[in-house]
Amino acid sequence: MAKTQQFCTFFLQDQFFGVPVQQVQEVIRYQEMTRVPLVPSVIRGLINLRGQIVMALDLRRRFGMEDRTDSQLPMNVVVRTDDGAVSFLVDEIGDVLEADEEHFEPPPETLKGQARELVRGVYKLEQRLMLVLDTSRAVASADDGVRKVN
Amino acid sequence: MSDAEIVKEFLVESYENLDRLDQELIALEKDPGNRETLASIFRTIHTIKGTSGFLAFNQLEAVTHVGENLLARLRDRQLTLTPAITTALLSMVDAVRQMLGSIEDVGNEGERHDQELIVTLTRVMQTKNDTNPTAAPSPAQPESRQNALPEPGPKLGDILVSKGKADASDVTAAVDRQSEGDPRHVGEILVEKGVVQPRDVVDALNAQQQARGQSASDSTIRVDVAQLDRMMNGMSELVLLRNQIVQYSNSTDDSELLGTSQRLNLLTTELQEGVMKTRMQPIGNIWSKFPRTVRDVALGCGKQVRIEMEGKETELDKTIIEAIKDPLTHLVRNAVDHGIESPEVRRAVGKNPEGLLFLRAFHEGGQVNIEIMDDGGGLEFEKIRNKAIQKALISADQAARMTEREITKLIFLPGFSTAEKVTSVSGRGVGMDVVRTNIEKIGGIVDVQSKPGQSTTVRMKIPLTLAIIPALIVASGGDRYAIPQVSLLELVRLEGEQARKGIEQVNGAPVYRLRERLLPLVYLNRELKVDAKGQDAEAGEAQSVNIVVLRADDRQFGLVVDEINDTEEIVVKPLSKQLKTVNTYAGATIMGDGKVALILDVMGLAQRANVVSEVRDRSLSEEGGEEAQVAASGNQRKAVLLFQYGESGRMAVDLGLVARLEEFSRNTVEIAGDQEVVQYRGQIMPLIRVSEALEGRYRKAAESEQESLQVVVYSDKGRSVGLVVDRILDIVEESFVMQRQTGRNGILGSAVIQKRVTDILDVPGLIAAADQSQLLARAQA
């Protein structure tokens, strides 16, 4: 019996991503945000998650993809990090999938740009490929971004 | 109750008692005749001794036993209190505290070498002192023991009599024997005489304990602070919810809902006050440690200092109490060390040889004011002025134009304190910037006033609490922001003609004439780089201009915003790490409508807008300007002591590890074994020459030229070690990234501090290495 892991999946542009379910606190629809001036644009703002203030990071901007159109409202994937909960803004939410470790492969050498540090690897699913997001890197490098901008 | 619980309770109780003990010993030194104080001290030590014996902490018992004997002789007037005795007793208290700490950490007293202490205690006990007791013993007091210990609650003898276990006459006989010098307890004497059974005595003791315990424990309970924090968090949520409901109900015409929400409003406010009150502690809790601090520092530098306090009962939130503890201690030490002159100097200028340190706390306008006043020599303005020029903090030109008040402020500049100031007793300002940073961190302000030759007063204004604060809600660029009310001075609204003409320019910098003084203006939207709502809000075109007059660091500036809303009680929520790197925000809060609003950090904003730049800037030499500063603030700022190492090397040590900086004359260095030592505060302190220890070779030639040794005193678990350095350079607070380095003993790594590569010293590692090489040397010898 091969080992399997459950993933919470989502879409960014036309790519399919997954985050291990254990890291995900919840998935919620679009929330109104309060923008935070002077910080890097990756940080879209702060949302009120039942009294808890959570920072929202736009994964499209994180990956250097182009912005969503105004009519396209992002969804929130709230993950737990060492520094409290952080919400990732994504295009659409997919199913929770069970993936077999047999089908895992590290990212190809040809992977370029931001994706290189943010993608931990790829699951070869029957229909498509699922990119595994390194959540702590996604949050931590936003941190670096703050310093750079300032 | 498990053993662990019993030990825990013993620790909690003993810690409380110890804190009191410090104060009582100091009080007793002032008033040696006070029998009640003496009795109370005796009781505390007696209790610790008893319990430690019961719990088999033998070393603790041994030390307290000798202490108790000494106290008994004092109580019985066979001895009078001398400073030597007080010092011995205080060392005993320290030893007890260390042992308790060790018990708490590792479950036992640890490796102890208290023989010396015990010998000291025994020695002072045996010295005959001929000084007359201050309070002459009145002849009509033969019943010393029972009266000397005015224990609340019934006496043991009375309990035994009332239970029919002993006759009143037997008890009286036993008490008489005690007063004749029998050191044992009444119970023991009675048991020995066969009057009562040991069991009865134990029963009676328990009954006595109960009777005593009741009075205090009935009205108060101990609560875990974490529990209070949880309560406060819950309370914060409730306040938020209340704000939301009140806002919603105001928009409906449902009268029943309106009435209910109003009652909810009132109740929540009351409850909030109640919960906040539980977290309040009197400032006396930290002040109570100061008499001891003052005594030690004063004794160490040969001064006489009296400490007076007013407003001990003034209450502050626990987190704030914690935050101001270190800055206050620092100021108190500073005042004694540097502020108050030596008795000779004081006499020469016609002052009372005994200096006065006066602490005062009082409430004013929702804040707490704390003042630390000493009647010492005051600040030397000329010296400060020269120093600041020398350190390139200000130009000579600037200095010439500065008023005394402005010069006073210079001592708060980072980088002001210098090598000479650090080691000698010449001035103040050591780490004053750290004090100020810490006070400002909790939203307080600090200010110094000095009358040359007469006094120095440090004043602080501290907020009562941090969790829920009143704030003004403003809007700019379509977003709302909260401004803590503490920084708010007034609101100005310019309309029509005024709005167009009221704002003038000084070479491009907008200003407003506020009561004939120029108020620099800062546009919030421009600072935050957000668009003003819709149209361009240039002064000329706007219909009206809203100015929020704010105070940052004793300077005023006007913040121009689009709208001014209400003031509200807001709940401060911390920002995640990624957002703290921008110093413009103090936190975030959730508004009545459920949306998040940022809380502005007025100080940070003022710095960003250069309102307070000229004095706040680290120094003129650091030209990175704002960019460098903001980038640097991304990392944790850390205070370090810089010193020279070798010819040109620089080394830093975490300021937290530095107990004191001292200068020893060469001829005070003695040799014990093959170790260089100095006598320091009644202890023998080993010296480690840093350069030597690091390089493992002897460099006698270089050092013998110096008359005195500059020593960084490091204390750990009661052991002091002096690190001899080549030259102390500075104390700086900077953020830096340390690159770890392995392979060099005693060095943690290196970092860029003040734009220079600086090694960071690993003090414990260095000491361990030095210890080891000593052992090796000895083994070879």
Side-chain angles (χ1 to χ4, degrees), chain B residues 232-252:
Chain B
M232 194 64 197
N233 282 341
M235 192 61 230
S236 305
E237 299 302 322
L238 186 60
V239 168
L240 282 178
L241 210 59
R242 185 268 317 260
N243 291 353
Q244 283 170 29
I245 287 182
V246 168
Q247 183 164 349
Y248 170 73
S249 69
N250 284 341
S251 63
T252 66

Side-chain angles (χ1 to χ4, degrees), chain B residues 652-653 657 694 744-749 760-767:
Chain B
V653 56
L657 294 174
L694 287 175
R744 279 175 82 189
N745 268 345
I747 303 277
L748 282 176
I760 293 163
L761 192 66
D762 172 13
V763 181
L766 182 79
I767 292 172

Side-chain angles (χ1 to χ4, degrees), chain B residues 485-538:
Chain B
Q485 194 133 39
V486 207
S487 319
L488 185 66
L489 291 174
E490 61 183 298
L491 301 174
V492 178
R493 186 179 167 86
L494 308 179
E495 279 180 328
E497 185 78 354
Q498 259 191 317
R500 280 190 291 279
K501 295 199 174 147
I503 294 174
E504 296 162 85
Q505 309 280 327
V506 179
N507 195 21
V511 291
Y512 170 70
R513 290 185 209 199
L514 179 69
R515 286 184 290 275
E516 293 316 305
R517 291 199 56 183
L518 290 182
L519 180 74
L521 293 183
V522 174
Y523 286 80
L524 184 57
N525 57 327
R526 291 183 203 165
E527 284 314 319
L528 298 183
K529 304 199 175 98
V530 294
D531 296 331
K533 59 166 183 200
Q535 87 266 26
D536 189 12
E538 283 298 318

Side-chain angles (χ1 to χ4, degrees), chain B residues 688-722:
Chain B
I688 296 179
R689 290 174 184 263
V690 174
S691 311
E692 216 174 280
L694 287 175
E695 292 175 19
R697 62 191 154 90
Y698 211 56
R699 298 189 316 131
K700 201 166 187 174
E703 274 142 7
S704 55
E705 292 157 17
Q706 286 178 7
E707 272 293 277
S708 57
L709 300 177
Q710 306 227 333
V711 174
V712 178
V713 180
Y714 164 81
S715 288
D716 183 38
K717 301 197 183 86
R719 182 191 176 201
S720 292
V721 176

Side-chain angles (χ1 to χ4, degrees), chain B residues 308-343:
Chain B
E308 278 185 21
M309 300 174 185
E310 190 184 302
K312 261 192 266 195
E313 62 294 331
T314 311
E315 288 186 322
L316 285 161
D317 189 277
K318 184 166 169 58
T319 45
I320 294 190
I321 291 266
E322 292 296 320
I324 62 171
K325 193 159 116 193
D326 289 345
L328 275 184
T329 311
H330 188 93
L331 290 171
V332 164
R333 297 183 79 103
N334 235 8
V336 178
D337 211 350
H338 305 310
I340 290 170
E341 316 92 323
S342 63

